Amino acid sequence: QSVLTQPPSASGTPGQRVTISCFGSSSNIGSNTVDWYQQLPGTAPKLLIYSNNQRPSGVPDRFSGSKSGTSASLAISGLQSEDEADYYCAAWDDRLSLYVFGTGTKVTVL
Amino acid sequence: EVQLVQSGAEVKKPGESLRISCKGSGYSFTNYWITWVRQMPGKGLEWMGRIDPSDSYTNYSPSLQGHVTISADKSISTVYLQLSSLKASDTAMYYCARQAVATSFDFWGQGTLVTVSS
């Protein structure tokens, strides 16, 4: 059971901007930092954003993250075909004492 | 180059036990926690637990406590995930990952597919 809720799907044409939301609560997003992972088909997840809005080395600046209260969002600008993947938000949950992942959003490039 | 290399695919019968491994290289192994994440077929990611390889301190997901054991052998830079009394619902891809800043996981293993079937 995931306590972080994401839309199941999102889509856009090449070059467009796509935003994915992640809704949590005071025990997870409200009190801890948010990470985002990208999972290309058949591969291991990859860290995309950490600590709400930080990009690891090598991640294009087309990807950006933000957090406000108990929700977070990931924006992909200048959408490219290689961005077709599943995207997961994640955060530590103080009440459950575990790291929780979002329900996942499948991004399709039309 | 940081690498986490996991052991190969496993096929087990219900009730059996399983141990899979994750070997780290290219960094100071005892400086980073290792976590295990499970992904059932067609489903999302599930955090299972983590270990500090320097002293083998562990945290587990409450829902998996008692079913899962995570251990480490720092002399060979390897972390293990043990599952007992396997059920068909344990069929999944299992990933190890290195915990970096805060709770984020910056490097991942390639995954180990576990199939439990009679």
Side-chain angles (χ1 to χ4, degrees):
Chain A
Q1 84 294 357
S2 178
V3 298
L4 301 183
T5 304
Q6 300 177 232
S9 63
S11 63
T13 56
Q16 275 191 330
R17 176 184 170 93
V18 168
T19 302
I20 301 168
S21 57
C22 174
F23 296 101
S25 67
S26 58
S27 64
N28 42 66
I29 294 178
S31 49
N32 295 295
T33 58
V34 178
D35 310 311
W36 289 90
Y37 298 89
Q38 176 194 59
Q39 187 175 31
L40 298 170
T43 69
K46 169 189 170 184
L47 180 63
L48 207 59
I49 297 287
Y50 67 95
S51 296
N52 304 328
N53 55 18
Q54 302 299 301
R55 279 187 310 277
S57 174
V59 173
D61 59 7
R62 304 186 293 104
F63 296 92
S64 61
S66 64
K67 175 184 130 172
S68 178
T70 58
S71 66
S73 63
L74 173 72
I76 311 173
S77 59
L79 193 65
Q80 299 181 5
S81 57
E82 58 259 39
D83 298 333
E84 274 209 347
D86 293 322
Y87 293 82
Y88 296 90
C89 60
W92 185 262
D93 191 294
D94 293 332
R95 181 177 61 85
L96 298 174
S97 295
L98 76 158
Y99 190 73
V100 290
F101 288 95
T103 48
T105 299
K106 183 175 183 61
V107 168
T108 302
V109 181
L110 301 170
Chain B
E1 178 194 7
V2 174
Q3 282 194 312
L4 295 175
V5 178
Q6 299 182 224
S7 49
E10 301 264 8
V11 179
K12 292 289 187 180
K13 288 182 167 37
E16 292 184 336
S17 294
L18 166 79
R19 189 178 82 161
I20 59 179
S21 66
C22 170
K23 182 175 176 61
S25 63
Y27 71 99
S28 179
F29 186 70
T30 53
N31 283 359
Y32 296 84
W33 290 63
I34 294 290
T35 206
W36 286 93
V37 173
R38 175 166 78 175
Q39 186 168 37
M40 296 177 188
K43 302 298 183 183
L45 304 172
E46 178 187 11
W47 184 82
M48 302 179 71
R50 61 183 179 178
I51 188 166
D52 180 348
S54 67
D55 61 5
S56 289
Y57 179 80
T58 53
N59 290 139
Y60 295 104
S61 168
S63 66
L64 294 173
Q65 191 98 30
H67 182 47
V68 170
T69 302
I70 299 173
S71 60
D73 185 341
K74 59 186 178 182
S75 69
I76 55 172
S77 302
T78 299
V79 168
Y80 301 96
L81 174 71
Q82 185 167 328
L83 292 170
S84 59
S85 302
L86 288 166
K87 297 171 279 196
S89 56
D90 291 314
T91 294
M93 183 71 82
Y94 291 80
Y95 295 102
C96 64
R98 189 182 83 162
Q99 183 170 324
V101 174
T103 47
S104 62
F105 311 132
D106 61 349
F107 286 93
W108 293 66
Q110 82 277 19
T112 297
L113 180 63
V114 173
T115 304
V116 182
S117 174
S118 55

